[in-house]
Amino acid sequence: MHIEQLKLTNYRNYDALALKFSPKINVFIGENAQGKTNVMESIYVLAMAKSHRTTNDKELIRWDSDYGKIEGAVQKRQGILPIELTITKKGKKGKINHIEQSRLSHYIGQMNVVMFAPEDLNVVKGSPQIRRRFIDMEIGQISPVYLHDLLTFQKILKQRNHYLKMNQGKTMTDTVMYEVYNEQYIHAATQIIRKRFQFMDLLQEWAEPIHGGISQEKEKLLINYRTVVGIEKHHTSSEIENFLHKKLVEAKEREFDRGVTLVGPHRDDLQFLVNGYDVQTYGSQGQQRTTALSLKLAEIELIKQETNETPILLLDDVLSELDDYRQSHLLNTIQGEVQTFVTTTSVDGIHHETMEHAQLFHVKQGAIEES
């Protein structure tokens, strides 16, 4: 899979921009705050219908405009697929092959991307919320069903939290409504937990040998999906439901005291172990970066396995964050197979034959020149 053309209208600092890309490697060179990351972000948004940099979609629209639009021509195995995302202050609409989709969950997954940016190091060393977002974004690319289940879960969680907040500190006499919310919540949460365990098994399968290769077989990576209530991957759906019900009963008093749901997948986390040690707590900066790089390279292989298409790789100002050895390993892995986009302030420090055949775009004050 690769994107042949990109067209931006009223996106960030671009009023109108049209670019054609190499199916191999495309490098955007320029000083900071010139607009190169905006192009990279637009490709990500075109694929995922959300930004990796902001949760406020209004920021994506050029400041003096009512809407922003991203259009792409994606080369897939079956041919060229036009996709389009329009962003307004009221929401987003996606089109596949010029046909508007009733839900964004139907739109996402038409173009698969793997983003690696400096903030992705936070997947390893940052908060549990960042790791949950990582899981949800990646599963969503390969499973529209998961996106639907996740939206259902989030809706029920919001309703349950509202109910708890409305009754915060009160003595409950009528528990019928409470049981109704619990039943809906437990079913939705079970779907999410099961799918996450399945995904982490696949990610482990690819990430472990990749990490071993980068570390010259000196390190072994283990990824654990940890639920706040101690559910394990071997548990069946009915066992998970029973487990959640038991934990909700135990947490009932605390939940009504605090007015919020304390049990469920919205509080779960990932743990990365290198040679048995938690890399977030005890790992060196090098080990944390190797773990993050292993995850990204594993994502490429996993998406390829699940969709039969090679995803597009976006390297946003990340090569400078990697030492020469990890940089070479990354470029060797993608060489000739994965369409790659790179942003950098200079190519002088990147010594690799892949870069000799790159298509270069020079970015200055929102203007892009190809060379």
Side-chain angles (χ1 to χ4, degrees):
M1 176 189 301
H2 64 270
I3 181 169
E4 289 195 342
Q5 299 177 47
L6 178 73
K7 184 179 177 183
L8 303 182
T9 306
N10 301 329
Y11 185 88
R12 292 280 193 181
N13 64 324
Y14 296 101
D15 56 353
L17 179 68
L19 298 171
K20 291 186 177 182
F21 300 124
S22 162
K24 303 297 184 183
I25 188 161
N26 302 270
V27 182
F28 290 85
I29 307 164
E31 296 301 320
N32 293 329
Q34 300 300 302
K36 59 185 188 296
T37 292
N38 290 345
V39 177
M40 186 80 82
E41 177 194 44
S42 73
I43 298 171
Y44 186 89
V45 174
L46 181 65
M48 304 296 289
K50 62 172 64 177
S51 170
H52 66 294
R53 298 160 72 197
T54 179
T55 55
N56 184 359
D57 291 333
K58 293 176 185 176
E59 293 178 17
L60 307 179
I61 304 170
R62 189 173 165 86
W63 68 273
D64 58 349
S65 303
D66 295 324
Y67 76 98
K69 185 188 289 186
I70 314 167
E71 300 168 77
V74 184
Q75 178 68 58
K76 302 180 78 170
R77 288 184 184 275
Q78 66 267 36
I80 292 284
L81 180 69
I83 59 174
E84 177 185 313
L85 188 73
T86 301
I87 307 155
T88 69
K89 289 164 185 178
K90 293 183 178 179
K92 292 168 286 198
K93 286 289 184 182
K95 288 184 180 179
I96 302 170
N97 205 10
H98 310 295
I99 300 170
E100 188 172 298
Q101 303 301 297
S102 58
R103 293 179 178 175
L104 283 176
S105 58
H106 297 162
Y107 170 87
I108 297 167
Q110 298 302 313
M111 182 173 91
N112 300 121
V113 296
V114 172
M115 166 70 80
F116 193 18
E119 56 264 31
D120 284 307
L121 292 169
N122 288 327
V123 170
V124 177
K125 62 183 183 180
S127 68
Q129 183 180 0
I130 294 171
R131 286 184 284 279
R132 288 192 294 270
R133 186 174 187 270
F134 161 75
I135 301 172
D136 292 338
M137 296 290 278
E138 301 318 319
I139 305 178
Q141 283 204 79
I142 58 177
S143 174
V145 173
Y146 180 81
L147 278 181
H148 179 265
D149 289 345
L150 183 64
L151 289 171
T152 301
F153 168 75
Q154 290 170 340
K155 182 179 177 182
I156 295 169
L157 174 63
K158 187 176 180 180
Q159 292 170 342
R160 190 176 188 274
N161 280 341
H162 178 70
Y163 172 79
L164 291 171
K165 194 73 176 174
M166 292 289 288
N167 292 281
Q168 188 175 5
K170 296 178 182 177
T171 302
M172 290 300 298
T173 52
D174 180 12
T175 60
V176 174
M177 203 64 205
Y178 174 73
E179 294 298 337
V180 169
Y181 277 126
N182 274 6
E183 186 178 340
Q184 293 176 342
Y185 176 77
I186 288 169
H187 177 74
T190 298
Q191 301 294 105
I192 299 302
I193 291 169
R194 292 271 297 169
K195 195 68 180 179
R196 284 181 178 176
F197 271 125
Q198 291 165 9
F199 175 78
M200 296 320 300
D201 269 356
L202 291 173
L203 193 64
Q204 172 72 37
E205 188 180 311
W206 287 107
E208 184 180 335
I210 289 171
H211 189 101
I214 299 173
S215 66
Q216 298 173 299
E217 306 305 330
K218 293 175 184 174
E219 296 176 357
K220 182 174 181 179
L221 174 66
L222 180 65
I223 307 169
N224 287 332
Y225 174 57
R226 304 174 69 189
T227 70
V228 287
V229 292
I231 294 165
E232 301 289 347
K233 66 180 179 181
H234 63 266
H235 288 141
T236 64
S237 292
S238 59
E239 285 173 334
I240 293 172
E241 288 185 354
N242 289 336
F243 216 104
L244 285 171
H245 184 266
K246 178 185 174 186
K247 293 297 179 181
L248 285 172
V249 169
E250 291 174 1
K252 182 178 178 180
E253 191 174 320
R254 286 184 294 124
E255 287 191 334
F256 277 108
D257 281 343
R258 294 176 59 178
V260 69
T261 302
L262 300 174
V263 173
H266 61 297
R267 301 178 73 87
D268 293 347
D269 198 2
L270 289 182
Q271 180 187 44
F272 304 105
L273 301 175
V274 171
N275 293 344
Y277 292 96
D278 188 327
V279 74
Q280 180 189 18
T281 307
Y282 301 106
S284 66
Q285 191 174 58
Q287 287 175 320
Q288 290 174 344
R289 288 181 176 181
T290 298
T291 301
L293 178 56
S294 301
L295 289 175
K296 293 299 169 180
L297 295 178
E299 279 182 64
I300 293 172
E301 298 302 330
L302 196 160
I303 290 172
K304 187 162 48 170
Q305 173 184 284
E306 295 297 307
T307 67
N308 203 30
E309 294 274 9
T310 303
I312 296 161
L313 179 62
L314 308 175
L315 303 175
D316 188 13
D317 200 27
V318 77
L319 289 181
S320 61
E321 294 283 324
L322 302 174
D323 59 27
D324 288 346
Y325 178 75
R326 292 179 181 87
Q327 196 180 94
S328 292
H329 194 97
L330 170 59
L331 294 172
N332 285 338
T333 302
I334 65 174
Q335 193 170 16
E337 186 181 2
V338 182
Q339 186 187 32
T340 303
F341 292 84
V342 177
T343 62
T344 183
T345 53
S346 172
V347 292
D348 293 343
I350 306 170
H351 306 292
H352 196 277
E353 59 187 281
T354 302
M355 302 301 286
E356 295 173 11
H357 308 289
Q359 187 168 338
L360 303 181
F361 299 89
H362 296 271
V363 187
K364 189 173 183 179
Q365 294 181 334
I368 298 180
E369 290 184 3
E370 185 181 342
S371 66

